[in-house]
Amino acid sequence: MIQRDDILSMEYLKKTEFTGCHQGMRYRLEGVDGGDGEKRLRCTVWPEPFCFFKTPDEEKESAEFYFGEDGVVDAVAWMNNRLFDEKDRWERSGENWESYR
């Protein structure tokens, strides 16, 4: 289970993206423009073994949250839901090496 303490501070997220992984699921949190002038926190998850830029977009799943501490807590909850709801996907992620081109 991913914990809030696994994610760096809001001061860090204000400057750059944060990436991590847990049990076959990789994740990335980043600040993005919400389209209404408000900054949003985008959280993206995808299966290992590849980095964000080498993984096809169809393998990624994203959600946006409030850009603040409450948003980070919500993003962690969302990632844990993805982790448990798609458990087989993450457990099989090690098989993805064959897709390397």
Side-chain angles (χ1 to χ4, degrees):
M1 178 176 239
I2 301 167
Q3 302 293 324
R4 168 57 186 104
D5 292 343
D6 296 333
I7 312 300
L8 292 180
S9 70
M10 284 306 303
E11 291 305 312
Y12 182 89
L13 291 171
K14 287 177 184 176
K15 297 177 183 176
T16 190
E17 70 277 346
F18 176 79
T19 60
C21 63
H22 186 75
Q23 296 181 350
M25 182 181 78
R26 293 198 179 215
Y27 55 88
R28 172 184 166 120
L29 289 94
E30 62 186 316
V32 296
D33 181 8
D36 56 0
E38 293 290 321
K39 194 168 189 176
R40 304 282 293 161
L41 180 67
R42 178 178 295 149
C43 181
T44 305
V45 297
W46 68 95
E48 290 184 336
F50 305 116
C51 73
F52 180 82
F53 298 105
K54 292 293 183 180
T55 300
D57 288 339
E58 58 268 11
E59 292 290 322
K60 299 173 189 170
E61 186 176 350
S62 297
E64 291 185 5
F65 304 92
Y66 168 76
F67 192 83
E69 186 59 35
D70 290 342
V72 175
V73 171
D74 291 343
V76 168
W78 179 79
M79 288 189 289
N80 283 320
N81 284 337
R82 305 288 12 102
L83 188 64
F84 294 111
D85 289 349
E86 299 181 66
K87 188 175 180 179
D88 291 341
R89 180 182 186 200
W90 315 122
E91 287 177 351
R92 291 190 324 270
S93 66
E95 301 167 7
N96 291 338
W97 283 105
E98 297 299 322
S99 66
Y100 181 74
R101 299 172 214 198

